[in-house]
Amino acid sequence: MRFMIIVKATPQTEAGVFPEDKEKLFAAMAEFHEELARAGALLDASGLQPSSKGWRIRYEGGGRTVIDGPFAETKELVAGYTLIQGALARRGARMEPALPGAARRVRDRRDRGQAAVRARGFRARRPGRALSRNRHRQAGEGVMIRAIVLLAVLAVAAVLLYATTRPDTFRVERMASIRAPAAKIHPLIADLRQFNTWNPYEKKDPDLKGRYRGAPSGPGAGYDFEGNKDVGKGSIEIVESAPPTRVAMKLDMLAPFEAHNLVEFTLAPRGEATEVTWSMRGPSPFVARLVGVFMDMDRMIGRDFEAGLANLKAIAERP
C-alpha cells in the first residue's frame, strides 16, 4: 500500500517566507526522509512552489479553463508531500508528527488513491537517496519507446528478408472455354484493333491515348498507349502468330514502373469449343517481390485476364 503525507500550505508558505529555524527544519526533514529511504519505504518527496507560480485547470460543460494563481484559500493548497510505500508506510506515517514544525502545520496522511494535489510547480529537491517517481516514469516510457522502435525495425527487416526469398520470376495465367472455333477466335487476338475491342485495360480509361504502328496484324503490329494510373504507359507488340493456335506479344511498360514481359495466348480445340489460355510471364525484381508481400499480384492481374476473356467469349460466340 502507498501513502502520501501532504503538508498543507499556510499564508507564510504562500508568501515564500521561511521560519527562522528553517535550517533546523530542513535538516530534520532530510533526516526523516533518509531514514525512510534506508528502510526502503520512500518513493518520492518534494516541496511545492507558492500557488502564485502555478495554475489550475477547470473542466466544465465540455470546456476547459486555465486559472492562474495565486489562490486565496490556503487551506485548499499544498506546500509539499512525501510518498511512502510498503509495510513500513504506516510506521513512516507515525514518525511524521515528530518532525519540527508539525505543531505549526496541518499534515494530512492519505492512501495514494485518494490524494489530490492542487498546487502546481515543484521546488528543486534537496539531495538525498529518495527515488524520483517522475524519473522512473520517464525512464519507463523511454524503454517502451525504444522497444517499439526496435520491434518496428525488426518487423521491417523481416519483411525485407522474406521478400528476398520470393521467386525472381512470375507467371499469371487464366483460361476460358469459348463455344467458337479457334479460326474465328485467333483474328480477334492477332489483330490489335480487334484485340482492343475486348481488351479490359483499354476500358479502364475512357481518355486513354493510343497509337497503332507497323503491320495491321501479326508479327510487327504494335500499339503505344498512355493512360491513367490503372493503365499506365507503355507499348505492346505482336512477336509471333501461329494461326489458329498461338499469339505471342511483347509488353513493355514505362509507367507506373518499368517492366518487360511476354504475353501469350494459346487456343486448343475441345470438341465444339476452344480452350483459350491467356498468360503473362517475366522477371520479378526486388521491388515487385516486396510489393507482392502485401498485395496478391496474381489475383489482381488474374482478375483483369478473367474480365478480358469474358469479353472475348461474348464477341466470339455471337452468331
Side-chain angles (χ1 to χ4, degrees):
M1 180 177 293
R2 296 181 180 184
F3 284 88
M4 178 177 283
I5 301 174
I6 299 175
V7 180
K8 295 186 177 180
T10 66
Q12 289 74 29
T13 61
E14 277 294 281
V17 177
F18 293 100
E20 294 181 359
D21 58 348
K22 63 178 181 179
E23 297 299 331
K24 181 179 179 181
L25 177 63
F26 289 160
M29 289 289 291
E31 182 180 352
F32 172 64
H33 290 147
E34 288 290 340
E35 184 176 351
L36 289 176
R38 286 192 296 269
L42 183 63
L43 289 176
D44 196 9
S46 183
L48 301 177
Q49 295 282 7
S51 66
S52 59
K53 298 183 179 181
W55 64 89
R56 288 176 177 172
I57 300 178
R58 175 179 295 169
Y59 296 90
E60 185 175 9
R64 183 180 65 177
T65 304
V66 178
I67 304 173
D68 293 326
F71 307 112
E73 295 294 332
T74 57
K75 65 181 181 180
E76 297 181 356
L77 302 178
V78 177
Y81 68 91
T82 300
L83 184 62
I84 53 181
Q85 71 169 355
L88 296 175
R90 292 185 180 277
R91 176 187 170 190
R94 289 194 298 271
M95 292 164 53
E96 183 269 337
L99 285 172
R104 295 194 302 270
R105 301 182 185 178
V106 179
R107 285 176 168 79
D108 184 5
R109 295 179 298 274
R110 306 183 189 178
D111 183 280
R112 184 173 178 270
Q114 299 175 358
V117 180
R118 297 187 182 180
R120 295 293 187 270
F122 287 85
R123 292 194 187 104
R125 294 177 185 171
R126 296 180 58 82
R129 291 159 52 186
L131 297 176
S132 171
R133 180 180 62 185
N134 289 337
R135 290 178 181 175
H136 276 226
R137 184 179 69 246
Q138 293 172 358
E141 292 174 351
V143 171
M144 180 178 296
I145 292 173
R146 288 194 294 271
I148 293 173
V149 172
L150 178 60
L151 289 175
V153 171
L154 292 176
V156 171
V159 171
L160 295 176
L161 181 61
Y162 175 66
T164 63
T165 67
R166 294 174 63 83
D168 57 4
T169 60
F170 79 96
R171 180 181 177 86
V172 179
E173 181 179 293
R174 294 295 187 271
M175 184 272 294
S177 178
I178 300 177
R179 295 184 63 83
K184 182 179 179 181
I185 301 172
H186 188 275
L188 297 175
I189 303 172
D191 184 328
L192 290 181
R193 288 175 174 79
Q194 295 294 322
F195 173 76
N196 281 335
T197 62
W198 57 268
N199 178 9
Y201 298 102
E202 192 76 8
K203 302 178 183 300
K204 285 180 176 287
D205 183 3
D207 298 322
L208 183 144
K209 299 176 182 178
R211 182 178 67 87
Y212 295 96
R213 54 181 169 79
S217 64
Y223 179 67
D224 302 322
F225 58 87
E226 183 175 358
N228 58 21
K229 61 182 180 63
D230 295 323
V231 177
K233 179 181 180 180
S235 66
I236 192 166
E237 181 179 337
I238 297 177
V239 295
E240 183 181 346
S241 178
T245 59
R246 186 171 183 270
V247 178
M249 303 178 183
K250 180 179 66 170
L251 174 63
D252 296 311
M253 294 296 302
L254 301 177
F257 50 82
E258 185 174 358
H260 305 282
N261 303 318
L262 181 65
V263 178
E264 295 177 290
F265 292 88
T266 58
L267 293 76
R270 295 288 187 267
E272 296 181 355
T274 301
E275 184 178 275
V276 180
T277 302
W278 184 0
S279 67
M280 182 169 67
R281 57 186 171 88
S284 182
F286 178 76
V287 173
R289 283 179 277 166
L290 181 61
V291 172
V293 173
F294 305 98
M295 302 173 62
D296 190 338
M297 302 303 292
D298 181 87
R299 178 179 297 177
M300 291 179 60
I301 299 174
R303 186 164 52 236
D304 293 332
F305 283 13
E306 291 167 2
L309 290 172
N311 295 337
L312 175 62
K313 177 181 176 71
I315 293 175
E317 291 183 350
R318 291 174 185 170

Short mmCIF file of all heavy atoms in Angstrom, two decimals, residues 63-114:
data_model
loop_
_atom_site.label_atom_id
_atom_site.label_comp_id
_atom_site.label_asym_id
_atom_site.label_seq_id
_atom_site.Cartn_x
_atom_site.Cartn_y
_atom_site.Cartn_z
N GLY A 63 -15.91 22.26 -21.64
CA GLY A 63 -14.83 23.20 -21.93
C GLY A 63 -13.75 23.12 -20.88
O GLY A 63 -13.89 22.46 -19.84
N ARG A 64 -12.64 23.80 -21.14
CA ARG A 64 -11.51 23.79 -20.22
C ARG A 64 -11.05 25.23 -20.00
O ARG A 64 -10.86 25.98 -20.95
CB ARG A 64 -10.37 22.96 -20.81
CG ARG A 64 -9.17 22.84 -19.88
CD ARG A 64 -8.09 22.01 -20.51
NE ARG A 64 -7.54 22.67 -21.69
CZ ARG A 64 -6.52 22.17 -22.40
NH1 ARG A 64 -6.01 21.00 -22.08
NH2 ARG A 64 -6.08 22.83 -23.44
N THR A 65 -10.87 25.59 -18.71
CA THR A 65 -10.44 26.94 -18.36
C THR A 65 -9.18 26.85 -17.52
O THR A 65 -9.12 26.09 -16.55
CB THR A 65 -11.53 27.68 -17.57
OG1 THR A 65 -12.74 27.68 -18.34
CG2 THR A 65 -11.11 29.10 -17.28
N VAL A 66 -8.14 27.60 -17.88
CA VAL A 66 -6.90 27.64 -17.12
C VAL A 66 -6.93 28.89 -16.24
O VAL A 66 -7.12 30.01 -16.74
CB VAL A 66 -5.67 27.69 -18.06
CG1 VAL A 66 -4.39 27.80 -17.24
CG2 VAL A 66 -5.65 26.45 -18.94
N ILE A 67 -6.76 28.68 -14.93
CA ILE A 67 -6.82 29.77 -13.96
C ILE A 67 -5.44 29.93 -13.34
O ILE A 67 -4.92 29.00 -12.72
CB ILE A 67 -7.87 29.49 -12.87
CG1 ILE A 67 -9.25 29.21 -13.50
CG2 ILE A 67 -7.94 30.64 -11.89
CD1 ILE A 67 -10.28 28.76 -12.51
N ASP A 68 -4.83 31.09 -13.51
CA ASP A 68 -3.51 31.35 -12.94
C ASP A 68 -3.62 31.68 -11.46
O ASP A 68 -4.61 32.26 -11.00
CB ASP A 68 -2.83 32.51 -13.67
CG ASP A 68 -2.49 32.16 -15.11
OD1 ASP A 68 -2.18 30.98 -15.35
OD2 ASP A 68 -2.56 33.05 -15.97
N GLY A 69 -2.56 31.31 -10.70
CA GLY A 69 -2.50 31.64 -9.28
C GLY A 69 -2.16 33.11 -9.09
O GLY A 69 -1.93 33.84 -10.06
N PRO A 70 -2.13 33.62 -7.84
CA PRO A 70 -2.29 32.83 -6.62
C PRO A 70 -3.75 32.57 -6.27
O PRO A 70 -4.65 33.19 -6.84
CB PRO A 70 -1.65 33.73 -5.56
CG PRO A 70 -1.90 35.12 -6.09
CD PRO A 70 -1.79 35.01 -7.58
N PHE A 71 -3.95 31.67 -5.31
CA PHE A 71 -5.30 31.30 -4.89
C PHE A 71 -5.46 31.70 -3.43
O PHE A 71 -4.59 31.47 -2.58
CB PHE A 71 -5.53 29.81 -5.07
CG PHE A 71 -5.22 29.36 -6.48
CD1 PHE A 71 -4.14 28.54 -6.73
CD2 PHE A 71 -5.99 29.78 -7.55
CE1 PHE A 71 -3.84 28.13 -8.03
CE2 PHE A 71 -5.70 29.39 -8.84
CZ PHE A 71 -4.62 28.57 -9.08
N ALA A 72 -6.63 32.28 -3.12
CA ALA A 72 -6.84 32.88 -1.79
C ALA A 72 -6.98 31.84 -0.68
O ALA A 72 -6.50 32.03 0.43
CB ALA A 72 -8.07 33.79 -1.83
N GLU A 73 -7.66 30.74 -0.95
CA GLU A 73 -7.96 29.76 0.10
C GLU A 73 -6.75 28.87 0.35
O GLU A 73 -6.57 27.82 -0.28
CB GLU A 73 -9.16 28.92 -0.31
CG GLU A 73 -10.46 29.69 -0.43
CD GLU A 73 -10.92 30.22 0.92
OE1 GLU A 73 -10.59 29.59 1.94
OE2 GLU A 73 -11.60 31.25 0.95
N THR A 74 -5.89 29.27 1.29
CA THR A 74 -4.67 28.49 1.56
C THR A 74 -4.98 27.12 2.15
O THR A 74 -4.19 26.19 2.02
CB THR A 74 -3.74 29.26 2.53
OG1 THR A 74 -4.47 29.54 3.74
CG2 THR A 74 -3.27 30.55 1.89
N LYS A 75 -6.15 26.97 2.78
CA LYS A 75 -6.48 25.68 3.36
C LYS A 75 -6.69 24.61 2.31
O LYS A 75 -6.69 23.42 2.62
CB LYS A 75 -7.73 25.80 4.25
CG LYS A 75 -9.00 26.17 3.47
CD LYS A 75 -10.18 26.31 4.40
CE LYS A 75 -11.46 26.65 3.63
NZ LYS A 75 -12.61 26.79 4.53
N GLU A 76 -6.87 25.05 1.06
CA GLU A 76 -7.05 24.08 -0.02
C GLU A 76 -5.75 23.83 -0.79
O GLU A 76 -5.75 23.08 -1.76
CB GLU A 76 -8.11 24.58 -1.01
CG GLU A 76 -9.49 24.71 -0.41
CD GLU A 76 -10.50 25.17 -1.43
OE1 GLU A 76 -10.08 25.44 -2.57
OE2 GLU A 76 -11.69 25.23 -1.10
N LEU A 77 -4.66 24.47 -0.38
CA LEU A 77 -3.41 24.37 -1.10
C LEU A 77 -2.44 23.44 -0.39
O LEU A 77 -2.54 23.19 0.80
CB LEU A 77 -2.79 25.75 -1.27
CG LEU A 77 -3.65 26.79 -1.99
CD1 LEU A 77 -2.93 28.12 -2.05
CD2 LEU A 77 -4.01 26.30 -3.40
N VAL A 78 -1.47 22.96 -1.15
CA VAL A 78 -0.48 22.01 -0.64
C VAL A 78 0.89 22.63 -0.76
O VAL A 78 1.25 23.19 -1.79
CB VAL A 78 -0.55 20.69 -1.43
CG1 VAL A 78 0.53 19.73 -0.96
CG2 VAL A 78 -1.92 20.05 -1.28
N ALA A 79 1.69 22.51 0.31
CA ALA A 79 3.04 23.07 0.31
C ALA A 79 4.10 22.02 0.03
O ALA A 79 5.23 22.34 -0.34
CB ALA A 79 3.33 23.76 1.64
N GLY A 80 3.77 20.75 0.22
CA GLY A 80 4.74 19.68 -0.02
C GLY A 80 4.12 18.33 0.24
O GLY A 80 2.97 18.21 0.68
N TYR A 81 4.89 17.28 -0.04
CA TYR A 81 4.37 15.92 0.15
C TYR A 81 5.53 14.95 0.32
O TYR A 81 6.67 15.21 -0.06
CB TYR A 81 3.51 15.49 -1.03
CG TYR A 81 4.30 15.30 -2.30
CD1 TYR A 81 4.84 14.06 -2.63
CD2 TYR A 81 4.52 16.36 -3.16
CE1 TYR A 81 5.59 13.88 -3.78
CE2 TYR A 81 5.27 16.20 -4.32
CZ TYR A 81 5.80 14.96 -4.63
OH TYR A 81 6.54 14.79 -5.77
N THR A 82 5.19 13.79 0.90
CA THR A 82 6.11 12.65 0.99
C THR A 82 5.32 11.41 0.61
O THR A 82 4.25 11.16 1.17
CB THR A 82 6.67 12.49 2.41
OG1 THR A 82 7.37 13.68 2.77
CG2 THR A 82 7.61 11.30 2.50
N LEU A 83 5.85 10.64 -0.34
CA LEU A 83 5.17 9.44 -0.82
C LEU A 83 5.93 8.23 -0.34
O LEU A 83 7.12 8.06 -0.61
CB LEU A 83 5.11 9.45 -2.35
CG LEU A 83 4.33 8.31 -3.01
CD1 LEU A 83 2.87 8.35 -2.58
CD2 LEU A 83 4.45 8.39 -4.53
N ILE A 84 5.23 7.37 0.44
CA ILE A 84 5.87 6.18 1.01
C ILE A 84 5.04 4.95 0.68
O ILE A 84 3.86 5.04 0.33
CB ILE A 84 6.02 6.34 2.55
CG1 ILE A 84 4.67 6.70 3.19
CG2 ILE A 84 7.07 7.36 2.89
CD1 ILE A 84 4.74 6.89 4.69
N GLN A 85 5.68 3.78 0.79
CA GLN A 85 5.01 2.55 0.41
C GLN A 85 5.45 1.40 1.31
O GLN A 85 6.40 1.51 2.06
CB GLN A 85 5.34 2.18 -1.03
CG GLN A 85 6.78 1.71 -1.22
CD GLN A 85 7.04 1.10 -2.59
OE1 GLN A 85 6.12 0.95 -3.38
NE2 GLN A 85 8.27 0.75 -2.87
N GLY A 86 4.74 0.26 1.12
CA GLY A 86 5.13 -0.99 1.76
C GLY A 86 4.66 -1.11 3.19
O GLY A 86 3.92 -0.29 3.72
N ALA A 87 5.16 -2.17 3.83
CA ALA A 87 4.73 -2.46 5.20
C ALA A 87 5.18 -1.38 6.17
O ALA A 87 4.58 -1.19 7.23
CB ALA A 87 5.29 -3.82 5.64
N LEU A 88 6.27 -0.65 5.77
CA LEU A 88 6.78 0.39 6.66
C LEU A 88 6.07 1.72 6.46
O LEU A 88 6.41 2.71 7.12
CB LEU A 88 8.29 0.57 6.42
CG LEU A 88 9.17 -0.65 6.77
CD1 LEU A 88 10.61 -0.36 6.37
CD2 LEU A 88 9.07 -0.98 8.25
N ALA A 89 5.12 1.76 5.55
CA ALA A 89 4.46 3.03 5.26
C ALA A 89 3.74 3.57 6.48
O ALA A 89 3.81 4.76 6.79
CB ALA A 89 3.49 2.86 4.09
N ARG A 90 3.04 2.69 7.19
CA ARG A 90 2.31 3.16 8.38
C ARG A 90 3.28 3.63 9.46
O ARG A 90 3.00 4.58 10.18
CB ARG A 90 1.42 2.05 8.90
CG ARG A 90 0.25 1.73 7.97
CD ARG A 90 -0.68 0.71 8.58
NE ARG A 90 -1.78 0.41 7.68
CZ ARG A 90 -2.89 1.13 7.57
NH1 ARG A 90 -3.03 2.23 8.32
NH2 ARG A 90 -3.84 0.80 6.72
N ARG A 91 4.42 2.95 9.55
CA ARG A 91 5.42 3.38 10.52
C ARG A 91 5.92 4.78 10.19
O ARG A 91 6.07 5.63 11.06
CB ARG A 91 6.59 2.40 10.52
CG ARG A 91 7.73 2.82 11.42
CD ARG A 91 8.92 1.90 11.24
NE ARG A 91 10.09 2.42 11.92
CZ ARG A 91 11.32 1.93 11.78
NH1 ARG A 91 11.50 0.89 10.95
NH2 ARG A 91 12.34 2.45 12.43
N GLY A 92 6.16 5.03 8.89
CA GLY A 92 6.59 6.37 8.47
C GLY A 92 5.54 7.40 8.80
O GLY A 92 5.85 8.53 9.18
N ALA A 93 4.28 7.05 8.60
CA ALA A 93 3.20 7.98 8.90
C ALA A 93 3.16 8.30 10.39
O ALA A 93 2.83 9.42 10.78
CB ALA A 93 1.88 7.39 8.43
N ARG A 94 3.52 7.28 11.24
CA ARG A 94 3.53 7.53 12.68
C ARG A 94 4.73 8.39 13.09
O ARG A 94 4.67 9.13 14.05
CB ARG A 94 3.54 6.19 13.43
CG ARG A 94 2.23 5.42 13.34
CD ARG A 94 2.19 4.29 14.37
NE ARG A 94 3.25 3.31 14.15
CZ ARG A 94 3.10 2.24 13.36
NH1 ARG A 94 1.95 2.03 12.71
NH2 ARG A 94 4.10 1.39 13.23
N MET A 95 5.83 8.27 12.35
CA MET A 95 7.02 9.04 12.66
C MET A 95 6.83 10.52 12.34
O MET A 95 7.42 11.38 12.98
CB MET A 95 8.22 8.51 11.86
CG MET A 95 8.68 7.13 12.26
SD MET A 95 9.75 6.43 10.97
CE MET A 95 10.95 7.73 10.81
N GLU A 96 6.02 10.82 11.34
CA GLU A 96 5.93 12.16 10.79
C GLU A 96 5.57 13.25 11.78
O GLU A 96 6.15 14.35 11.72
CB GLU A 96 4.92 12.14 9.64
CG GLU A 96 4.75 13.44 8.89
CD GLU A 96 3.66 14.28 9.51
OE1 GLU A 96 2.79 13.70 10.18
OE2 GLU A 96 3.72 15.50 9.32
N PRO A 97 4.66 13.04 12.76
CA PRO A 97 4.34 14.14 13.69
C PRO A 97 5.52 14.61 14.51
O PRO A 97 5.49 15.69 15.08
CB PRO A 97 3.24 13.55 14.56
CG PRO A 97 2.62 12.49 13.71
CD PRO A 97 3.78 11.90 12.97
N ALA A 98 6.58 13.80 14.63
CA ALA A 98 7.73 14.19 15.44
C ALA A 98 8.59 15.23 14.75
O ALA A 98 9.51 15.78 15.35
CB ALA A 98 8.58 12.95 15.75
N LEU A 99 8.35 15.52 13.50
CA LEU A 99 9.15 16.49 12.76
C LEU A 99 8.97 17.90 13.32
O LEU A 99 7.86 18.27 13.72
CB LEU A 99 8.77 16.49 11.29
CG LEU A 99 9.27 15.30 10.49
CD1 LEU A 99 8.65 15.33 9.11
CD2 LEU A 99 10.78 15.31 10.38
N PRO A 100 10.04 18.70 13.29
CA PRO A 100 9.87 20.12 13.68
C PRO A 100 8.87 20.79 12.76
O PRO A 100 8.88 20.58 11.56
CB PRO A 100 11.28 20.69 13.48
CG PRO A 100 12.20 19.51 13.58
CD PRO A 100 11.44 18.35 13.02
N GLY A 101 8.03 21.59 13.32
CA GLY A 101 7.04 22.30 12.52
C GLY A 101 5.73 21.56 12.42
O GLY A 101 4.77 22.10 11.91
N ALA A 102 5.67 20.30 12.93
CA ALA A 102 4.41 19.55 12.82
C ALA A 102 3.31 20.21 13.62
O ALA A 102 2.14 20.10 13.28
CB ALA A 102 4.63 18.12 13.29
N ALA A 103 3.70 20.86 14.69
CA ALA A 103 2.67 21.50 15.50
C ALA A 103 2.15 22.77 14.85
O ALA A 103 1.06 23.22 15.13
CB ALA A 103 3.25 21.84 16.88
N ARG A 104 2.97 23.37 13.98
CA ARG A 104 2.56 24.61 13.36
C ARG A 104 1.76 24.39 12.08
O ARG A 104 1.04 25.26 11.65
CB ARG A 104 3.80 25.46 13.04
CG ARG A 104 4.54 25.90 14.29
CD ARG A 104 5.53 27.00 13.94
NE ARG A 104 6.49 26.58 12.94
CZ ARG A 104 7.65 26.01 13.22
NH1 ARG A 104 7.99 25.77 14.49
NH2 ARG A 104 8.49 25.68 12.25
N ARG A 105 1.96 23.22 11.44
CA ARG A 105 1.30 22.96 10.17
C ARG A 105 0.40 21.75 10.29
O ARG A 105 0.66 20.83 11.06
CB ARG A 105 2.32 22.70 9.07
CG ARG A 105 3.29 23.84 8.86
CD ARG A 105 4.22 23.51 7.72
NE ARG A 105 5.23 24.52 7.57
CZ ARG A 105 6.20 24.46 6.68
NH1 ARG A 105 6.25 23.43 5.85
NH2 ARG A 105 7.10 25.42 6.59
N VAL A 106 -0.64 21.76 9.53
CA VAL A 106 -1.55 20.61 9.49
C VAL A 106 -1.06 19.65 8.43
O VAL A 106 -0.81 20.03 7.28
CB VAL A 106 -2.98 21.06 9.16
CG1 VAL A 106 -3.90 19.85 9.10
CG2 VAL A 106 -3.46 22.04 10.23
N ARG A 107 -0.90 18.37 8.77
CA ARG A 107 -0.48 17.38 7.81
C ARG A 107 -1.61 16.37 7.61
O ARG A 107 -2.29 16.00 8.54
CB ARG A 107 0.80 16.66 8.27
CG ARG A 107 2.05 17.55 8.10
CD ARG A 107 3.27 16.84 8.66
NE ARG A 107 4.48 17.52 8.27
CZ ARG A 107 4.96 18.61 8.84
NH1 ARG A 107 4.28 19.16 9.82
NH2 ARG A 107 6.09 19.15 8.42
N ASP A 108 -1.75 15.92 6.39
CA ASP A 108 -2.84 15.01 6.05
C ASP A 108 -2.22 13.76 5.45
O ASP A 108 -1.47 13.83 4.48
CB ASP A 108 -3.76 15.70 5.01
CG ASP A 108 -4.97 14.83 4.70
OD1 ASP A 108 -5.12 13.78 5.34
OD2 ASP A 108 -5.74 15.22 3.80
N ARG A 109 -2.51 12.59 6.06
CA ARG A 109 -1.99 11.34 5.52
C ARG A 109 -3.12 10.62 4.79
O ARG A 109 -4.17 10.37 5.39
CB ARG A 109 -1.43 10.47 6.66
CG ARG A 109 -0.23 11.07 7.36
CD ARG A 109 0.26 10.18 8.48
NE ARG A 109 -0.76 9.99 9.52
CZ ARG A 109 -0.93 10.81 10.54
NH1 ARG A 109 -0.18 11.90 10.63
NH2 ARG A 109 -1.83 10.59 11.44
N ARG A 110 -2.91 10.30 3.53
CA ARG A 110 -3.95 9.64 2.75
C ARG A 110 -3.36 8.48 1.97
O ARG A 110 -2.19 8.49 1.61
CB ARG A 110 -4.57 10.60 1.73
CG ARG A 110 -5.09 11.89 2.31
CD ARG A 110 -5.74 12.70 1.23
NE ARG A 110 -6.08 14.04 1.69
CZ ARG A 110 -6.63 14.96 0.92
NH1 ARG A 110 -6.91 14.68 -0.33
NH2 ARG A 110 -6.89 16.16 1.40
N ASP A 111 -4.23 7.49 1.74
CA ASP A 111 -3.86 6.46 0.77
C ASP A 111 -3.66 7.15 -0.58
O ASP A 111 -4.39 8.08 -0.94
CB ASP A 111 -4.99 5.43 0.66
CG ASP A 111 -4.61 4.31 -0.29
OD1 ASP A 111 -4.74 4.54 -1.50
OD2 ASP A 111 -4.18 3.25 0.18
N ARG A 112 -2.68 6.73 -1.35
CA ARG A 112 -2.34 7.41 -2.60
C ARG A 112 -3.53 7.49 -3.55
O ARG A 112 -3.66 8.43 -4.33
CB ARG A 112 -1.19 6.67 -3.30
CG ARG A 112 -0.71 7.34 -4.56
CD ARG A 112 0.53 6.61 -5.07
NE ARG A 112 0.98 7.21 -6.31
CZ ARG A 112 0.60 6.84 -7.50
NH1 ARG A 112 -0.29 5.87 -7.63
NH2 ARG A 112 1.07 7.41 -8.60
N GLY A 113 -4.44 6.52 -3.50
CA GLY A 113 -5.58 6.53 -4.41
C GLY A 113 -6.54 7.67 -4.13
O GLY A 113 -7.34 8.04 -4.97
N GLN A 114 -6.47 8.29 -2.90
CA GLN A 114 -7.39 9.37 -2.56
C GLN A 114 -6.71 10.73 -2.54
O GLN A 114 -7.37 11.75 -2.35
CB GLN A 114 -7.99 9.11 -1.17
CG GLN A 114 -8.78 7.80 -1.10
CD GLN A 114 -9.23 7.52 0.31
OE1 GLN A 114 -8.92 8.28 1.23
NE2 GLN A 114 -9.96 6.44 0.49
#
